[in-house]
Every structure is written in C-alpha cells, then in structure tokens.
Amino acid sequence: MDYFGHLSRSNSNITHRIHNKWTCFKLYDEALLQQDKDNYVKQSFSDRFSPQCNSSAIETPVILSEEITKARASIKHAMKNTATSKPVPNIGSFYTISEKTSRNVELLRNDLKALSGTIQTLNFSLRQFENRLTKIESNKFTKIDGFETTSVKVEMRSRNAGTGGKRIQPEWKPPNNAQSSQLKLYNSLTRQKENFIPEFGNNVKWYSCGPTVYDASHMGHARSYISFDILRRVLSNYFGYNVQYCMNITDIDDKIIKRARQNYLLEQYKEKSLDLKQALEDVTSAMENFDKKLKETNDPDKLAMMERMNVQGMSCLTYLKSVEDITKDVKEKILSDCKDPLSNWLDAKYGCSVADNSIFSALPQHWEKDYFEDMDALNVAPPDILTRVSEYVPEIIEFVEKIIENGYGYPSNGSVYFSVSQFDSSPNHFYAKLVPEAVGDVKALEEGEGDLSVSVDQLSEKRSPNDFALWKASKPGEPSWDSPWGKGRPGWHIECSVMACSILGSSMDIHTGGVDLKFPHHDNEIAQAEAHYNNPHWVRYFLHSGHLTIAGCKMSKSLKNFITIKDALKKNTSRQLRFAFLLHSWKDTLDYSENTMHDAVQFEKLMNEFFLNVKHVLRNLPDHGPKSFWKWKKEELNLSEIFVQHQQNVHDALCDNVDTRTALDHLRQLVTASNTYLASSHKNKTPPNSQLLKNIAKYITWMFKVFGAIPEDTDIGFPLISGGNQSQNTEAILMPYLNVLSKFREDVRAIAREHKVTKVLELCDALRDDELPPLGVRLEDKEGTQTVVKLVDPAVLMKEKEEKQKLAEKKRKEKEAAKEAAARKKEEKQAQRRIPAAKLFISQTDKYSAFDGQGFPTHAVDGKELSKGQSKKLRKLYDAQDKLHNEYLKECAAMNGS
Amino acid sequence: MDYFGHLSRSNSNITHRIHNKWTCFKLYDEALLQQDKDNYVKQSFSDRFSPQCNSSAIETPVILSEEITKARASIKHAMKNTATSKPVPNIGSFYTISEKTSRNVELLRNDLKALSGTIQTLNFSLRQFENRLTKIESNKFTKIDGFETTSVKVEMRSRNAGTGGKRIQPEWKPPNNAQSSQLKLYNSLTRQKENFIPEFGNNVKWYSCGPTVYDASHMGHARSYISFDILRRVLSNYFGYNVQYCMNITDIDDKIIKRARQNYLLEQYKEKSLDLKQALEDVTSAMENFDKKLKETNDPDKLAMMERMNVQGMSCLTYLKSVEDITKDVKEKILSDCKDPLSNWLDAKYGCSVADNSIFSALPQHWEKDYFEDMDALNVAPPDILTRVSEYVPEIIEFVEKIIENGYGYPSNGSVYFSVSQFDSSPNHFYAKLVPEAVGDVKALEEGEGDLSVSVDQLSEKRSPNDFALWKASKPGEPSWDSPWGKGRPGWHIECSVMACSILGSSMDIHTGGVDLKFPHHDNEIAQAEAHYNNPHWVRYFLHSGHLTIAGCKMSKSLKNFITIKDALKKNTSRQLRFAFLLHSWKDTLDYSENTMHDAVQFEKLMNEFFLNVKHVLRNLPDHGPKSFWKWKKEELNLSEIFVQHQQNVHDALCDNVDTRTALDHLRQLVTASNTYLASSHKNKTPPNSQLLKNIAKYITWMFKVFGAIPEDTDIGFPLISGGNQSQNTEAILMPYLNVLSKFREDVRAIAREHKVTKVLELCDALRDDELPPLGVRLEDKEGTQTVVKLVDPAVLMKEKEEKQKLAEKKRKEKEAAKEAAARKKEEKQAQRRIPAAKLFISQTDKYSAFDGQGFPTHAVDGKELSKGQSKKLRKLYDAQDKLHNEYLKECAAMNGS
C-alpha cells in the first residue's frame, strides 16, 4: 500500500490534490466525451465512489456534472495560459487547481511526460485509479488556498501487488461502434431526412389520412396505403416500436353528398315513365347545362373527359330525335350515354329536395366495405383504431368552439371559418408549414373547400380568400347536424385534427398521407390543431407517399388509364404488387407499368427458386440435431461473412428512410451468393451446410414478413399441442372431432326416430346436407351400421350437392311429366267414356261414308260395303264403347243422385 | 429582401462577418450539441448550403467539424476574457472572430442583449437564418484582419413577407424524448450494467460455452441454456440485432475420457466369467482402493456420496462372503452395488490399456444427441454455428504455437503451459479480468485442469502453480493427436478461445456461460485469446447466468436432489419451466421448487384464460372489416392508455438487463386491466371492443414468442396458399367444425327439452362431459345465450374433469351417508313399531320395580308407587305405542293377506 493523494471538493468548485498522476483530470475529460453525460457521471461518482466514501459527501449527479464542466474549462484554460502562471510544486508534492488559482502548466506537463506510460493509455488511468483505491480515510473540512474544501484522503495499492493478493478488475470501455446507424425519415416538415425520435419512450403515435369513401379504390389509393403499411410494419416489426396506428374514414364530404344525391336522382329518373317529348326536353336541358359547365372548366384532363361525354351525349340526343317512341332500349341508352350530364342536371334541378339522411350514409357504408375488402386483398393491415367523421360531430363542434375562443376562427352566416392571417401573424404560429410557398394558391384552396362549398355567396362570407371552412352551414339537399351556428356539417380539414386529437392527444409522432394532401389539407390540419392546443409541434414527422403514374402518365379518368385495385389484382397477385412497391422508394413517384410489374415478378421468382432449393437441401440433409452440424470450411465462413454484411446493409438501408429498394437489392445479392455456394458445393460434391442455408432462408423469409410480403402468423395465445412440431395435416387434426360429431348425431337420430321427434330428425338431415358440405365433410348414413365420415374438398362436395340437386330436380320434373302424362291419359280415357257408342264412328268420315241408324258404319270411305270381318271388328269396338259409356252414365246418375 | 451579412471562412480558421444576428455562432453551438456530430455538420453544411453556393468552397465535413471546434473554443475564450479586448464595432457593423484576434466581448454581449428575442429562441435562429436565406451572391477571396477568407454574401428575406409571396418552411426540431431507454446488460467484466453497444453496426457476435457431453443434462444446464436462449431471442427478436450465435461441444475432456474408459472396462468385466474366489479378491481390492480415495477426499458433498457408496460396497462384500457360488443374480448385485469402487479400481488397473479411439468418441456422441433432444424439448433454439473440440485440433495446435511465439506459453515434458506471470506483468495485459481476486485459488485451478491432469508429475512440470495447461501430453489410455510437442490432447480452456476466434474472428460482442465457469475457465480463455491477438478487448460483454438451487439447497448427487431435464419435464411442460425462468432474473440464483413452479403454472393459467376469453369475444363479434370498428368511448381510451403504458414498461424492463420478471409483471397487470374492461362491458351489456382486445392479446402473444414461450413459426419462403391467411394452425382448422357441432347440439338440446326427451339430453351432457374433454374441447353452456366453445389443453381439461368427478364422488358419498342415516332411522322407527305396548316398559327395570298385567309400570325402582302425574305421562306413551303397534299388526296382516 502506498499513499496516493487527496481528492477534495469545495462547495462550488472542485479542487484536486493529486500525487503522481493526472488521474482526476482524466475523469472529467472522459465524462464529457460520453454521449450519455449524466449517466456516465452518475456511474463514475455515485456507483463507483459512493460505496467506499461517505455518501453525504456526494451530491446529485447533475450538480456534479455542472461542476465538472466548470472544472474542465478551468483546466483547459490553465493549460493554455502558460504566461500568467505561478510556480507549481514538483512531482510528489501537492497542487490545487481551481478557477481562481493559476498554475505552472509547464511543470504539470512535465509531470505528465514523466508519466507518459499512463498518458498513452489515458483511458486506463481513471480505472486504474479506482482499481487501486483501497481506502478513503476521512472527510475533513479544511481551507486550501482560501477555499473551504472537503478533503478525502485515499489510499492506493501499487499495481504490481502480485497475483496472490486481492486484486481488482481492470478498466473496461464500450466499443466505438462507428458503423451504427439510426433510423432517419424524410420529413415533409423540413424536406430532408431527420433522425426519428418518438416523443415518449418507445411508443409511436401515428395518424394516417384514410379514404373518402364514395367510389372504388384505385391504384392511387394503393400507392398510399401499401406504402404506409410497409412503413408501419418496418417501424413495428423491424425497429420494434410500439405503434398506435389510427386512421379515419371520411364519410361526410361534398363528393359523397353529390354522388349520393346524383345516384339517387338518376335511380328515380330510371323508375319514372317517360314520353318522347319529355325525354327530348330533359336531355336537351341536361346537355345545355353540361355545355355551360364544360365552358367553365380549365383543367385539361377534366376538360378532355367532359368533351368526350359531351360528344356521346350529343350523339345520343341526335339519336333520340330519330326514334319514334321511348322503348326500354332507348331509355337505357339515354341513361348510359348521357349519365353524367343527366345526373348533373337532375342534381341542379332536384338536388335540394333530397332530404333523407340515409341516402347520404348508405353510399359511404358501401364503399367503406369495398375499401376494406381491397385492403385485405392487398394484405394491408387494418388500423388499430378507425374513426369515422360521422361519429365525431359533437367533438368537431367543441373543437371549432375552442378555435373561435382562441381567436383564430369566426362564424359567418351559419358557417365558421379559420382566420389564416390571424393565425400566421401570431408570434407562436406559422401557417402552411408544409408548403409555405402554396399560400394564396386559389385553385388548391377551392379544391380543398369542396365542390359544394365554393359558390360566390360562400366565398364572400370569408374575411380573406385564404381562410377556410371549419364548419359549413348545410344547404337544402345536404345532410346536417345541429350546432351553435345552426344546422350544418363539418369542413373537410377539421375532421382529421379532431379525430387525431381525440384518440392520440394533443401531439403525435407521425402523420401520413398522400402527397396530394400536403396543401391545403395537411397544412390546415396543422393550423387547426395548433390553434386549438397552442402546441407548435402537433406533428413531428409528416410523411407523404409519392405519386403514382400509369406507364409514365398521370392516372386520370380522361386518359382512360384509371386502374382500380381489383383491376390490378386481376393481373398480378398482391405479393407481386407489394414487391413492385418495395422495389421503389415510398416517397418518390412510382410508375405502374408492364416493366415495373415484370421486375417484381422476376424478383419474386428468383426468391422463390431460392426458397425451393433450400427446402430441397433441408429435405435431403439433416436439418436438426447433432447430425445437422458439421465443421465450417472457408466456403461457409465466406458465405457467413457475406450474410452478416448483407444483414448490415439491409439494416443501414432501412435506417435510411426505410429504403426498401436498396434492402431488396441486398437480399438479391445474398441469394446470388448463396446460389453460388450451392452450385460450388454441388460441383465439389460436398454437401452444402444446411444450417447456414436455413438461417439465410429464414432471415429472408423474416424480412418478407416484416415487409408484409408474407403474411405474419396472426395467432393469439398458446398453441394447442405443446412442445412438438405441429405440422399435422388437416385430416389428422380433424378426424377425432368429426367422429365425435358423427357419433353424437347418430345416437340422437336413433332416439329421435324411436320417439318420432321430427324436428330433431330434420336437424340431423340439415347437418348432413347443408352445414357440413361447405366445410368439406360428407356424412354417409348407412342403414343398420355406423355413419361414414369423409373429408373431401369442399368445392367437390358443393359440386356434388349441386349435381344432386340437379338430379333431384330432373327426377322431380320427370315424375311431374309422368304424372301429367298419366293424368292426361286418364283424362283422355274419361273423355272416351263420355262418347256414346253411336257417336264413336260417326265423325270418322275419312274412313266411312255411310252409317246405320245407331251410328254403326256400313260403307267404307270409297263407298264399298264393309266386309263381314271388318264389321265384326268394328262391332266389338262398338259394343265395348257402349259398355263403357253406359257405365259412365251410371256413375253420373249415381253422383247426381247422391 | 434585406441584406443580411457575410459568412466567410479562411483556410484554417473560420471568420464570421455577421450583421444584426448571432446566427453563425449558434450554428456551431448546435452542431456540437448534436450527438451525431459529423452527420449533423454534414447536413448543416453540405446539404443545406451546397446546393446554393459553389460546392468547391465546402470542404469535407470532418475538417469542418474540427474547425468548428476550434472556432467555438475561441469564441468561448473571447467571451470570458473581457480584460484583454480591443474595441468591437457597433451593432450593424462587421466584426471578425479568429483565434489570433481579441475582441470587446462586452459589446458583443450588448449586441446579444439587444437581440434578446433571438437569443431566447436560440435554436430558432439557425433555422431562421436558413429559411430566410434566398441568395448567396458570390465567393470572393479577400483579406480581413490579415486572414485570407472566402466571403459569401447572402441575401435574406424578412419574416413577415406576407402570405402572398414565396415563403419558406419554419424551423423544426426533434422532440426531447426523456423517456427513451437503451439496452443495458450486466457485464461480468465490470460487475455492473453497461450500455450495450455492438462493435460493428447491428451485428452481434456471440459465443456461448456449451456442454461437456458425458452424462444426461440436468437442471443446472437448463439454468444456463434457457437463460441464454431468452437473452438471445430478446436481442434478436425484440431489439432486432442480427445475432450470430456460436456454441461449442466439449467432446475431449478428462471427465469424458475417464467415464468412457470406466464404462468400457465395467462392460468388459460384466462379460467376463467370474468365480467366487476371483470375485472376492476383486471386490476386496476395489473397496480397499476406494477407501484410500475416500480418505483423500475433502469436499464434504463428495465425501458424503463416497461414504454412502462405501457402506453399500462393504455390505455387498459381506454378502459375497456368505454366498456359495457366483450366480447371475449375485454378479448383477456386485455390478450394481459396487459399481463406482469397481469402476475406479478397474480403471486404475487396466485404464492405460484402453487404446481404441472410438471408445472415447462414442460416449460424447451419445450424450450430445441426448443434449439436443433435451434442448428441443425445452424449445431452446439450436446455435447458428456449432463447434466440436475434436474438429478443431489442428487450429488449437496453431493457436498454442502462436501463444508460445508471443512469449506467453512454454512447452514442458510434452505438454504446453500458459505463463500467467509473464502475461500479467506485460503492461498491455491483465490476468483474471473477471475474478482477479481468485488468482492463486489452488482448488479452482486444479478443478480447471481436470481429474487426469493434476498428478504430482504434471504439477511439477509447471513453472508456477498459477500456470495452466494449453496442451496435455497424452498418457496411455487417453486419446491423442500428433503435435510439435509429441502425442497429446488440448487443455480445456484453449478450445473455447480457438473455436470462438475461428468462427467470430479476433473479437466478439458477447460471451456467455454459467457462473461456475468464471474462474479459471473464462479468465483463462480471455488470457489465451489476448495473448494470441494482443487485443485487450477480446470479449466486450461477458454474461454469466446465475446458480440454480433445488428447494433452497445446492443441487448435488450427494444430496440426492439431482434433477435431470427429463425429470423436470415429467412434472411440468417446457412452457411452464420457461415461465419459471422468465419470472426470475437470469443473473441471480434461481430456486427450482414447488413454489416456483406453482407461480409459473398460475401465471400460465391466468394468461391462457385471458386468451380464451378474447378468442371467444372475437368469434362472436366481427373482428374484421368495417363492422369490427366502432367509436372508442372513454373505457376504450382508458384501456388503450394502459396498454401503451405497459408496452413502455415492458420495453424499459427489457432495456434494464433484460428484466423479464418485471416485464411479465406488466403483462400480468395488462391482462388484469383487460379482464376488468371485459367484466365491465359484460356488466353494462355493451359489446367489448374486439379490435382493442385482439391487439392486446396479439401483443402478449408476440412477447411470449419473443421469450420463446410460444414457438415461432419456422416456415421458410412463401406460403403455399397465395393471398389468404395461411394460419394452418390447429385452431383455425378446427373451429368451424366445432362451431357446427356446438350449434347442432344446442338446437337438438332445445328441442329435446321442449319435448322432454331425456335420453337426448343425457347424450348432450355426455358429449360435453365425457366425449369432448379428452379432445381438448370445453363447452360452456350459458342459460339463454350461445354455448361458449373453448379449445384447451386436453390434460388441463382432464384434470378439471377429474376434480369434478372427485367432487361429485364426494357429494355422492355424502348423499349415500345421509340416505343410510335416514334408512337407519326408519329401521329404528320400524323396530319401535314392532314392540307391543305391554313390553314397552317391562324391560326398564332400572326405572320400575312393579307392573300391572298389561306391562304398565305401577311402582318406581325405589319401590314407591308412581304418582298420578307420572302414571299419566307413562299412560300417554303406552297408548301411543299401542296405537303404533296395532297399526303395524294391521299392516302385517294386510301384507300376509294380499
């Protein structure tokens, strides 16, 4: 044990008395170099020192940290100012450093030079100091250089105390991981990639703008929802964030109202009886009205489409002038060829009369269902929370009231508007954070306000053209809700602010939406929420998915390249579509084209072949237990290194704004390297390493699960069969249960027969004939023996059932026909009986020309007298008929008499 | 537009000409405050400035970063040294700052005060500066204050340029996520939790000490391998690291050699024909030999065990003296009762003759297979790479040569030893980093060297008792390999250093092993690898799993509480064992006891009931499509908040040294909150929110998958059925059929009740109580609502049934007893009736002394005549009995008559 020195601290300065080492300075240097400053300091002081020294001598880490910063500055200072120094004692003596005392730094430097071994491994000295610290003797208040200090006398052991004594662990430091990446996301709020940092812990609050449900979802929708699905899965399943994903459904909207009203009016018109004059008048008016609209249109795409409709409508009008009457076909032609002009005209004329609210809710309900079907087909995960505007009207009204209260909204003529200038001029606010350059873009603003909300009247209600509607007074023909400002409905932008805040609170981490929504929708959303909460960071990361083009062109109805999701899924599987998306950057324009899909299909094929090859290897080599492991040669070490490197590359790519394109490229390269390895092991006739290949294939499979290209297991809870491999086939799993079912039914049936409980017997039949066949179960009842249970492809069973029904139908029809025939025969026989014998031959003038008084034929048609043989034959018939008729007469008499 | 100022930089200094703002300083301040320094500077300069200014004016980010550091220091300096300043121009003029020029900082401070609005929002000014930067005019080389600088003239716009003009995005900053946690691991190298930082990117190189395969794996092994399996899964599946997990199998070892040799010799002895004399001689010798060993033993556990063996062996010897011949039974008794003494004696006598190498490899092969079977049963994932010592002998020899070459090893008598003192005295090395205080622990060192390697000869080969064997010269009866030092075999510690380096390279992130291996094994491993590579950080994080005790006691053969994994799996499922491990800290001692397992079973049960309840909710409410979403009320918002909070708590717990105990506690609390929600929605008769419950159940399921308590899907590649959900699990297959079965039964039951068909009702009960439970189906009949179908582990159901039966049996017995009592009572009553009134009192001679002719008492036992009152009372009884008896007689007559 050798005496080492003092460690002392005063009230507001740290003073150091060190002997022989520069240890204490190092402590501060190290502490400040740590990224996690407070933690390190806490460790350095509290954890390491406090167990040994009086804990009351140690203050809170934060204060220590401040003191250290000061101390460090003064040390640096002292090191530089060699001029204004006073002598410092020699090595072996004490010296004190504080902010007020200057030092002879040359001497200090000499000390350090003398201790160059320690200086070289500067990081070592702190730990060394601690390691060798065996005793802290006492804390005393003394005056050193006029400062009141707490002196701590420490005792140290020499390093080479030998291996026999009690030794202490050497210094350790974490590696300097220069390669480590952090997730960055391209934030529309800064137009650059920013480190992604959630506001609270590991939780990510996320709001995504959902669809306005008034028509079928198209590839433009797929662009957004598949992209966000990928982002969401990568953040949850790859980066491990606990994501809360909230999406809305816009089910109150100008487009929905208009579409619902027009559909309804057109349907009514379809039902109406129509004469030619009326039809001509109507179509003429509709086309005139349409022509007016056409002339007002500037959008070239819209114009092209309207012109096409105009030509079609006009030719229909010409045709109409040529017909003479409104037949069913003519009416159908009008309704199809003039659909849009007619709808518009009907809406203009009768729109305001539509009052039934159910008309406005049925349409969005229909298309919401359709939307979810499309998303399911695309393997887009449903949101955690879904909000519909129609469910949040009270919250919207409350929110608007708060905005008015805060001075950023004003009612006008039953509507409420947001005052952009009031908001923007506030020092805490900034309007249009996403697209500041778009402020004043009238076209964008009007589109944002909606078709039904840009009349001159409405526009003049606003104090400024930049203002936008928070609440719209409902006109006739529009759905409405009661509010402090009269009957009305929510503006478009307000819904997202309100619903997002209702679920996620006053701020969120991520907001997503299509790039088209940036301005004014998202900028207005931000303004509204910030006006309500006075929170300048309502959304931290605003992510916008890129545009979608169709073979290089903008998708539009006018270009006839409007492709619904269902259309696209007819051409490619949802997995191929997803690979196409993954092979492109989510934030840039994606071109949906033959080439794009070809690449995706090729990628899928390459991957699938690899999977099949690995599965083949695994089937033919042990992939489990000791036999599956054998020593790695340089080929395996090489492939493993490539594997590790590509895993890192994929990681880096995903950190770089979720760059799936680069990630997939690395997966492709990994597959190529694996294929090369497989080929060479094939060539060298050495078995490939199944474990390594399995791990690579499992990694790639896992990445595809992360990307949503392979469905995740959606299980809940514990598996039923514990421990073992549960890949039993369906039949093995099912049969025990089906046997129980069949036996139960049989027993019930037997008792029901005995007791004649018809209803139960009917249930037994229904189970066999209706319930089980769609599930692929065929019960075959055998008289006197056990019912046979068979598992068959449900499709086959359903076909069987259909055929059985057809056969039954056929039999039924045959039976009916036979029955009818029999009835007819009977009827004929009856008719025959009604004929008196005297009238049996009298009408047969094609055979006979003369009859006796009783109507018996005497001469044939050729005038010849009938032969005796002929007469005899006819007499037999005559007599039989006479008997038959007499019986008939008797029966009639009997019936009448009774 | 207003003119803003200059930004200029010279070759090695940055000079600033700023007008009106302190913007540029701020830039540097900000840049340095960023953790990711270089990146930030790169962004600040390259990304933001370079598009606008001549790119050649921008140097590499690293150089900029250095310059900024200097500039910042000089600014700080200048700020402090108010004394040695020269006048600085007023606001509005230029001033230049460089390391060589001093300034009037008071004036600078005045500037800043005047701009206090900007200073307050210091973070704002940098962004503001950039936002308002509209033009960088030109770069010119000019001389300012004697420095050659590149002047950049920038033009700025005023903030309130109005909403009509082109505006620029406002400032943005990331949130300050104070709650964010980072993974820390308890590192044996520092004996405290350290931030976990891998050496390279996202890749984690991990070596785990595997088993020495010479016997069945016991719960001590399970302690390590389950713990590391949990750590590995959490690091891979929760924290998303790409883990490369390498494990070894020790298949050359003193224990293996000895066991293999003894097994072989005992087997040979078994085959040998044996006469009584020979047998007596052998056993006597063996027991003498054993007695010698016993006397040498100090370990109390070992001693106790050996003494027991000794007693058994001696009694066998006595028995042997009493028999007349060596029958088969006698031989078997010898081989079983004297097994250990005999084995030892045979080994001592014939061990050195065993030469066939296959004898030494068959034993480890057998137990390796057994080990992997146990691991599979425990759902411990196989390592990515498995290395066996026997496969790495050439690499070991090469490694040892390198250690000798580096001066840390020396050959001696055909063996090679590691020189601890040589290593420890090197300034770059430190011996026994893990347990420095154990250096010199002779017992630990000898255990480390192995039973066959601690003879006096061998010990004397060493230069110091602290040295340990790298290579052992093989003696006769030991397997051997050629080496530069003659025929020999690897020492124990060297194998891990060599194999780990062969696969993972010269350093790794994590090394794991049982706490028993710390010293000398792991310390020697470290010394060897560092002696080879001269790398002071061979392992960054050394993790040791805690001890395992059995009901509070150390597990040992002598205490007869040695529990194999197979034993444990007979009592509990592997999932229950894992829950027991998860419910304890991996690094502390775990007590395997009734209580521990009870807690685990209860935890599993709580979770399972929750899963079953959620599944029931999901089956009966739409869990998919629009119908599955409805508006959240405060109950849902509340539960969701609890959900988010517990997710965060689980995350924090896992960050804190993978504290699964706390994590599971939060999952338990989450389930409790969900159950409360379910109960209240049941009470309020509102349907529970199926989506929210599903998400909670899926999250918990996912966590259990992460922990290895639910097997992951091990699929490779794309699912066979495209598009749809391929959840080929048993439950998805079964439920449609079970629903049909349940519905059919319900319908039949309803009709049977209506028609009172008892037999059918009995069938319905039998189906529920007898048929379905063995198949794992629990039907819960609910009065007035649908029957609940639950799929449960059949074992659990059968146990339930058993308990129910026990209860029923108990009730039945109670009922029977009651019935018997009633019958007895009736019988007694009947017996009473059979007594004629005349005989009622006649026998009561203890009460009465005289009777009249009809047997009616007249005098009491004391001879006194009965009083009137007494007589009256007795008369009443007499008459009643008379009536009773007469009725009885009548009944008898009637019966006889009939």
Side-chain angles (χ1 to χ4, degrees), chain B residues 65-80:
Chain B
S65 169
E66 274 171 20
E67 289 172 349
I68 286 161
T69 311
K70 279 183 204 159
R72 187 181 179 239
S74 67
I75 291 160
K76 283 228 157 176
H77 187 163
M79 294 288 285
K80 270 173 200 151

Side-chain angles (χ1 to χ4, degrees), chain A residues 835-896:
Chain A
I835 302 168
K839 287 192 179 165
L840 186 63
F841 301 108
I842 213 88
S843 57
Q844 296 176 8
T845 47
D846 55 333
K847 285 186 179 165
Y848 315 108
S849 56
F851 301 89
D852 67 7
Q854 287 165 319
F856 193 80
T858 51
H859 292 77
V861 72
D862 55 5
K864 275 187 188 162
E865 199 175 351
L866 295 176
S867 70
K868 262 189 183 167
Q870 282 174 321
S871 288
K872 201 177 173 184
K873 259 186 194 166
L874 293 174
R875 180 56 64 191
K876 239 180 181 168
L877 287 172
Y878 188 94
D879 290 348
Q881 182 65 25
D882 196 43
K883 196 181 166 194
L884 217 60
H885 186 64
N886 282 337
E887 275 170 17
Y888 168 72
L889 291 178
K890 257 183 226 163
E891 272 174 32
C892 290
M895 263 192 276
N896 290 340

